[in-house]
Structure formats: C-alpha cells, structure tokens
C-alpha cells in the first residue's frame, strides 16, 4: 500500500475590521504556525455575501474553525488551537489505521 500523504489542517478565522481581539488571534495563530503547519483562510464577516457568518459571529469574533468545525470563539489563545490540532491529528491517525 502506498504511503498516505497527510492532509494539512485547514483553519478558518472569522474576523472583522477594527477588531483588536482579531489582531490578538492572528498573533496567537502565528505562534502556532511555528510549531504546526496549517492552511489559513481569514473571513471578514462584514463583507457582502457573508451575512450568515455575520449573524452567527457578530458578537463572537474572532471565531476559529478547524476543518469546518468551530473550535473557538471570542477570546482564545495558541493553546486552544494546539489542543484542537492534537485531537485532529489523533483522530486522523485512528481513521488511517482502520
């Protein structure tokens, strides 16, 4: 059997303009990036067409999803992200061993 190429975790940061907590979140993600590689998409919930995310997170940005699942909202730090990445990696290991 061919070696399985690990898929990079995909983080989505829901953010907005003039959001000091969002700036802190980006700095925390930079700390995580030094330890783990991941893809990052930043979504400005104020942009046209993103009303669903604005309604969901207007009072909770920054919010963070890992592979499409919410893992944090409001005030969070690098340790929150690291724990989620670890759980995701453990899940992937279990799934690939089946």
């Amino acid at each position: 059997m061919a070696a399985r190429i690990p898929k990079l975790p995909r983080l989505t940061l829901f953010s907005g303009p003039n959001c000091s907590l969002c700036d802190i979140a980006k700095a925390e993600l930079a700390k995580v990036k030094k330890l783990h590689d991941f893809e990052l998409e930043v979504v400005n919930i104020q942009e046209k067409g993103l009303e669903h995310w604005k309604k969901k997170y207007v009072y909770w940005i920054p919010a963070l999803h890992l592979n499409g699942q919410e893992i944090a909202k409001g005030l969070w730090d690098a340790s929150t992200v690291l724990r989620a990445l670890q759980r995701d990696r453990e899940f992937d290991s279990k799934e690939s061993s089946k």
Side-chain angles (χ1 to χ4, degrees), residues 54-74:
K54 181 177 180 179
K55 184 176 179 180
K56 182 171 178 129
Y57 290 127
V58 68
Y59 299 112
W60 290 105
I61 57 173
L64 189 66
H65 285 194
L66 171 58
N67 299 326
Q69 298 295 315
E70 181 183 289
I71 60 169
K73 61 183 178 181

Side-chain angles (χ1 to χ4, degrees), residues 21-88:
L21 286 179
C22 299
D23 294 337
I24 292 168
K26 290 173 186 173
E28 293 298 305
L29 289 172
K31 292 177 189 177
V32 173
K33 188 74 166 173
K34 291 178 182 177
L35 302 171
H36 294 281
D37 201 15
F38 57 83
E39 295 178 13
L40 177 64
E41 177 185 9
V42 178
V43 175
N44 178 350
I45 65 168
Q46 300 294 337
E47 288 183 5
K48 187 174 181 165
L50 299 176
E51 289 79 13
H52 167 76
W53 297 118
K54 181 177 180 179
K55 184 176 179 180
K56 182 171 178 129
Y57 290 127
V58 68
Y59 299 112
W60 290 105
I61 57 173
L64 189 66
H65 285 194
L66 171 58
N67 299 326
Q69 298 295 315
E70 181 183 289
I71 60 169
K73 61 183 178 181
L75 183 59
W76 45 269
D77 62 13
S79 65
T80 303
V81 182
L82 290 169
R83 283 192 303 272
L85 288 169
Q86 180 63 36
R87 284 191 305 269
D88 184 63

